[in-house]
Amino acid sequence: RGREGHRMKFGDTILEMMYEPWADNYMNYDSLKNIIKRIGHINREPDVASSFAIRKASLSDADDALWVTIEAQLAKVNKFMQHEVAEVEGKLDAVMIKLEEVRTLQKYLRTHADASNPSVLHQLSTDGMYGPATAASVEYFAASGGDPQLLPKADPESLAEMGDVCTALDRIREFGMLNYVALLKIVKKHSKWSNSDSIKERVRDILPKQFLFTGAGMFELVCKAESVVAGDVTVARAKVEQGGAWMESRLMATKIIALLQRSEKDIGYPPLPWSV
């Protein structure tokens, strides 16, 4: 078989790339594709004068059915993404408060350290969140005769929680990109099977009002999260310690981005503003 015979169909691709716990919230690509197949079958019927009006009405009905389904699927995806973004934003704000408490703790430890034995405390300047060096410094402070009651309050779980926020953001971005690819594939397939760009034009017209496309506030949220963890060695260390799971997620994101870029080029739609 040639190279084309080995190419995976997009319906299988989306199943492979989707995040399984969110499966019900993805665009139903197969149901949309089935409507387009119906349009294609009608369009290939013999152009007999006696049946022309019937065929034209059938095509109109099928196009209407496709459009209604596209709107319903977009509404589902938009609602889910908005909910997830709002939830992650709330978690990020809460974690940032905890991280500020960690910084206060680190500052206290540095200023109250035993200057004659700072072997652990010097790491605090790069430890970032409540990571191993901070934990070791708290133990060292107590072992050196310091009163633990004087230490500013800080949550040891802040590092893990920040990691969860970053993971959730990655999943939302991958979810949005994969659904946008599905939409572009459907638009392209309709144009091919119907010999018409009617759906392509209608989808282009409504894109600026779709959360899937605009990702209102999502780019800012990603920048906010990255500004928190930028250059933080404990975050980098935590991701490496996740091993295969983190690497698998990064590889999947790379595949989705490549698929997205090809699809945007094929259909001539603008790129997702928040995907960069």
Side-chain angles (χ1 to χ4, degrees):
R1 297 170 64 186
R3 184 178 178 184
E4 183 70 21
H6 293 284
R7 184 175 295 173
M8 183 181 290
K9 293 183 177 180
F10 183 70
D12 297 324
T13 299
I14 195 171
L15 289 175
E16 179 188 275
M17 291 184 167
M18 69 170 50
Y19 178 52
E20 185 60 31
W22 292 356
D24 292 341
N25 299 289
Y26 285 81
M27 191 168 289
N28 193 328
Y29 177 80
D30 283 342
S31 69
L32 292 165
K33 184 178 71 174
N34 288 336
I35 299 175
I36 293 174
K37 283 184 176 180
R38 177 185 162 201
I39 292 171
H41 293 322
I42 297 171
N43 209 37
R44 286 200 299 268
E45 291 176 0
D47 195 6
V48 179
S50 60
S51 62
F52 177 77
I54 296 175
R55 187 164 69 89
K56 185 176 180 181
S58 296
L59 279 171
S60 178
D61 289 345
D63 264 5
D64 288 344
L66 178 62
W67 181 248
V68 168
T69 307
I70 287 175
E71 286 189 312
Q73 292 297 309
L74 278 173
K76 177 181 71 174
V77 170
N78 288 336
K79 181 178 180 180
F80 183 76
M81 282 187 68
Q82 284 177 301
H83 174 269
E84 291 300 314
V85 168
E87 192 168 90
V88 170
E89 186 172 16
K91 289 180 179 178
L92 177 58
D93 288 341
V95 172
M96 289 181 72
I97 292 174
K98 292 184 178 182
L99 298 185
E100 200 54 47
E101 292 174 345
V102 171
R103 294 187 184 97
T104 301
L105 169 63
Q106 292 172 334
K107 181 178 180 180
Y108 184 91
L109 286 167
R110 283 195 298 270
T111 55
H112 291 78
D114 179 357
S116 65
N117 189 13
S119 59
V120 176
L121 299 179
H122 79 280
Q123 299 181 51
L124 284 172
S125 60
T126 56
D127 192 37
M129 290 177 253
Y130 205 126
T134 302
S137 300
V138 169
E139 293 177 4
Y140 173 72
F141 178 82
S144 300
D147 184 358
Q149 297 297 321
L150 298 177
L151 291 176
K153 173 188 173 184
D155 187 354
E157 299 300 319
S158 57
L159 173 61
E161 290 178 17
M162 190 63 210
D164 290 342
V165 167
C166 292
T167 298
L169 271 174
D170 286 342
R171 283 180 179 148
I172 294 170
R173 291 179 71 245
E174 290 164 14
F175 174 87
M177 288 189 291
L178 194 53
N179 277 287
Y180 191 53
V181 172
L183 178 63
L184 300 186
K185 292 284 187 181
I186 287 298
V187 167
K188 182 180 178 182
K189 193 174 288 290
H190 173 269
S191 294
K192 177 181 177 181
W193 284 56
S194 68
N195 296 320
S196 167
D197 285 338
S198 60
I199 293 296
K200 178 181 177 179
E201 292 167 0
R202 293 176 77 176
V203 169
R204 183 192 287 117
D205 288 344
I206 67 169
L207 275 181
K209 298 179 181 179
Q210 306 301 310
F211 189 86
L212 169 64
F213 181 75
T214 66
M218 199 156 81
F219 181 76
E220 292 80 5
L221 183 59
V222 171
C223 291
K224 186 176 179 180
E226 289 182 349
S227 70
V228 173
V229 302
D232 196 303
V233 296
T234 49
V235 174
R237 183 165 54 238
K239 288 183 176 180
V240 171
E241 288 171 355
Q242 289 177 12
W246 181 69
M247 284 300 299
E248 184 177 343
S249 174
R250 293 303 83 222
L251 288 171
M252 184 62 71
T254 301
K255 289 180 181 179
I256 294 174
I257 290 171
L259 189 59
L260 173 65
Q261 291 173 342
R262 288 198 302 269
S263 299
E264 289 171 339
K265 183 178 180 180
D266 286 345
I267 201 67
Y269 275 13
L272 284 175
W274 49 265
S275 64
V276 294

